[in-house]
Amino acid sequence: MAEQAKAQIGVTGLAVMGRNLARNLARNGFRVAVHNRNWERTRSLIAEHGDEGTFVAAESMADFVAALERPRAVIVMVKAGAPTDAVIDELATLLEPGDIVVDCGNAHFADTQRREAALREHGLHFVGTGVSGGEEGALHGPSIMPGGSAESYQKLGPIFEKIAAQVDGVPCCRHIGPGGAGHFVKMVHNGIEYADMQLIAEAYDLLRAGLGAEPAELAEIFREWNRGELESFLIEITGDVLAHADAATGRPFVDVVRDQAEQKGTGRWTVQSALDLGIPITGIAEATFARSLSGHADQREAARRAFPGGGAQLKVEDRDAFVEDVRRALLASKIVAYAQGFDHISAGSREYDWNIDLGGTATIWRGGCIIRARFLDRIREAYDEQPDLPTLLVAPYFAEAVSAGVPGWRRIVAEAARAGVPVPAFASSLAYFDALRAERLPAALIQGLRDNFGAHTYHRVDRAGTFHTLWAGDRSEVEA
Ligand code: NDP
């Protein structure tokens, strides 16, 4: 095949994500080689969408690789885990130094680091790339978070930036950093998504308990919120889901869905990584545990029987004021979740030497992805103004929104606790905020206890040095 007729990029793995990504590439004028382990998927892609652009269909991996111009760029879009390793191993035997393997699956960033190092040995670039937006995003413009070498981005950047979602003329794609940086950022994105969804769910639960309103009426409140500071994809679809009635029974859709939230694991990865890095992402952790708790049906059943009387009504005297309190509590808690998520990215960037641009990351989440939201612009502005911001919470816009929300946030959390409505993410976000701004934390007592039982030593507020009190002796203090 003449070099100019060869494909500019290839996609292997043509299930829903790979198929749509390949179509997006073709629709944007790129010549795309396509391959799938099982030929039927390739055949049906060409039969159903072959007229959307230039596809080069290959039956074998060798033909697929031969169809690509050099340096070759191959997107792997297969099931995460062992299948990804199997495909990468096969590709590594066929590719040549300088070629690029792009894993757009949902890989753990540590796997990406491992794969990147292994392929580098063969002179190949390995680009772990986070892709958010589900199947619709893959087709119409996702948010794309590529890691890997700067050199590989020279080839991939123009392609990815063209097929990504565009907001205000800016593509929702940028080079995140080397190694596993792209998949790390995608992981934290998903963690924030967990927190966002849990907070929305708690707000819904509070509104329902407080107003005694039907879901369809509550949908209107979310639609109204979506016209203000909370404007986001998730708030928008909350309105849709709450307004939806079950066709079979006529009941509100949310009332016929079993109340056990599932997860594919990226929330868990985020929390595990944050524990390793020592970053308190309490909102994301609460959201992840809340999903786990919801799934423990047997324990919930046993507890319901042992402690009857759940489902209490909230006391609401002024309907509008209550709705506004919930809105402000939701916004403040959401700001906490994002502040924690960005702390996590910042810590990962330091730990692994990725040099991630935090404001730039906020920019590429403005479109295409699940957490796309109006206030991501504010995050970018905050980091533009102060790149070494200690926490997003203190950036002027967020500090103001949180301060304005605090009285309502406290009323909501207190009233929920009084009535027995579980609001783990609202409550823990408020506790995080209060802990962060406290003059003194009881951590001093913990240090005292640690020194008492384990001679773990402590620092004093009034002079430098490390100290230990002789607790079992005369209780005098010695310098350790
Ligand atoms: P799946 O995760 O369902 O994977 C199916 C694809 O993997 C098929 O093409 C299948 O080939 C291929 N495959 C499975 N095992 C092997 C193997 N051992 N060797 C070669 N190929 C194999 O597809 P999705 O499209 O849902 O997702 C693809 C990737 O994108 C996953 O990593 C997923 O986590 C990620 N992702 C998915 C999103 C979504 O919304 N679905 C969003 C963002 C990322 P065959 O047809 O021959 O069985």
Side-chain angles (χ1 to χ4, degrees):
M1 198 185 294
E3 196 65 21
Q4 63 271 27
K6 288 197 169 185
Q8 293 155 292
I9 191 156
V11 180
T12 180
L14 301 174
V16 57
M17 289 297 288
R19 177 187 178 98
N20 282 358
L21 209 58
R23 289 176 61 196
N24 186 354
L25 287 159
R27 287 171 167 197
N28 274 288
F30 297 106
R31 295 186 302 279
V32 195
V34 285
H35 169 265
N36 192 72
R37 176 180 62 174
N38 153 9
W39 166 252
E40 176 50 28
R41 284 196 203 270
T42 317
R43 195 203 56 74
S44 84
L45 167 62
I46 301 302
E48 289 160 33
H49 304 288
D51 59 351
E52 290 179 5
T54 308
F55 293 98
V56 183
E59 205 158 349
S60 73
M61 193 65 105
D63 287 349
F64 172 65
V65 167
L68 292 162
E69 68 179 25
R70 296 182 64 192
R72 302 179 183 89
V74 177
I75 295 177
V76 178
M77 210 43 172
V78 302
K79 208 175 256 314
T84 302
D85 276 317
V87 172
I88 292 170
D89 288 349
E90 189 180 358
L91 277 169
T93 63
L94 297 165
L95 295 172
E96 292 170 281
D99 289 347
I100 305 164
V101 179
V102 188
D103 176 17
C104 284
N106 260 338
H108 191 285
F109 74 93
D111 285 333
T112 302
Q113 301 267 84
R114 168 178 60 76
R115 290 168 181 150
E116 200 269 337
L119 289 202
R120 204 171 343 120
E121 299 270 296
H122 294 92
L124 299 173
H125 298 278
F126 183 75
V127 181
T129 299
V131 177
S132 177
E135 50 187 287
E136 280 297 300
L139 183 59
H140 299 293
S143 172
I144 309 180
M145 297 152 250
S149 64
E151 198 184 330
S152 61
Y153 196 75
Q154 283 176 3
K155 160 112 188 177
L156 297 173
I159 301 176
F160 281 173
E161 289 179 16
K162 188 141 185 225
I163 66 160
Q166 313 283 323
V167 176
D168 304 332
V170 179
C172 294
C173 172
R174 61 185 287 138
H175 184 222
I176 301 289
H183 275 140
F184 184 90
V185 162
K186 170 67 182 356
M187 174 188 78
V188 178
H189 163 285
N190 283 24
I192 292 174
E193 180 184 311
Y194 274 52
D196 226 339
M197 288 167 72
Q198 175 66 23
L199 291 167
I200 288 172
E202 290 178 17
Y204 148 75
D205 208 22
L206 284 162
L207 290 173
R208 196 158 183 186
L211 304 178
E214 285 297 298
E217 293 171 66
L218 301 178
E220 286 311 313
I221 295 175
F222 282 92
R223 286 179 175 149
E224 181 58 36
W225 288 354
N226 201 38
R227 289 189 271 274
E229 290 161 300
L230 282 168
E231 182 191 328
S232 61
F233 172 67
L234 283 170
I235 294 282
E236 178 194 328
I237 63 171
T238 300
D240 287 351
V241 172
L242 289 177
H244 184 59
D246 173 49
T249 61
R251 294 173 60 199
F253 170 77
V254 278
D255 288 349
V256 300
V257 175
R258 197 178 281 181
D259 60 348
Q260 296 177 21
E262 296 176 12
Q263 50 185 313
K264 283 190 176 166
T266 40
R268 186 180 70 237
W269 289 351
T270 315
V271 178
Q272 285 168 337
S273 155
L275 288 171
D276 290 342
L277 293 166
I279 303 300
I281 53 162
T282 54
I284 297 169
E286 286 294 352
T288 309
F289 285 131
R291 287 198 195 186
S292 312
L293 187 153
S294 75
H296 286 277
D298 292 350
Q299 285 185 333
R300 289 176 58 194
E301 175 60 29
R304 262 198 305 273
R305 267 194 257 109
F307 311 105
Q313 282 274 314
L314 287 177
K315 257 201 296 201
V316 174
E317 273 150 24
D318 179 334
R319 184 186 187 280
D320 289 347
F322 171 71
V323 172
E324 180 58 8
D325 278 356
V326 176
R327 189 190 70 83
R328 285 176 182 271
L330 175 56
L331 181 61
S333 303
K334 180 169 162 152
I335 291 169
V336 165
Y338 277 73
Q340 295 176 342
F342 275 83
D343 281 352
H344 189 184
I345 294 175
S346 171
S349 180
R350 274 195 309 277
E351 174 73 16
Y352 304 108
D353 226 356
W354 286 330
N355 200 21
I356 296 175
D357 177 335
L358 300 176
T361 300
T363 308
I364 65 168
W365 289 347
R366 293 183 308 159
C369 66
I370 306 300
I371 63 170
R372 58 186 184 262
R374 177 194 279 202
F375 94 158
L376 285 158
D377 270 330
R378 303 296 192 160
I379 297 182
R380 193 209 48 217
E381 284 162 19
Y383 283 113
D384 279 353
E385 266 165 43
Q386 195 184 338
D388 62 345
L389 201 58
T391 161
L392 265 182
L393 280 174
V394 302
Y397 170 81
F398 296 112
E400 212 172 285
V402 169
S403 297
V406 165
W409 201 4
R410 294 197 191 290
R411 278 193 293 274
I412 286 296
V413 170
E415 184 54 26
R418 194 201 58 73
V421 178
V423 287
F426 273 23
S428 89
S429 304
L430 181 57
Y432 173 88
F433 166 75
D434 280 328
L436 216 51
R437 62 190 274 279
E439 283 295 330
R440 291 274 296 159
L441 287 172
L445 174 59
I446 291 173
Q447 284 298 83
L449 297 175
R450 293 177 70 246
D451 189 59
N452 180 297
F453 70 68
H456 290 302
T457 74
Y458 51 89
H459 300 290
R460 296 181 56 100
V461 295
D462 52 0
R463 56 181 200 274
T466 304
F467 300 93
H468 168 57
T469 290
L470 301 171
W471 296 100
D474 64 359
R475 306 209 159 191
S476 59
E477 185 175 74
V478 294
E479 197 148 1

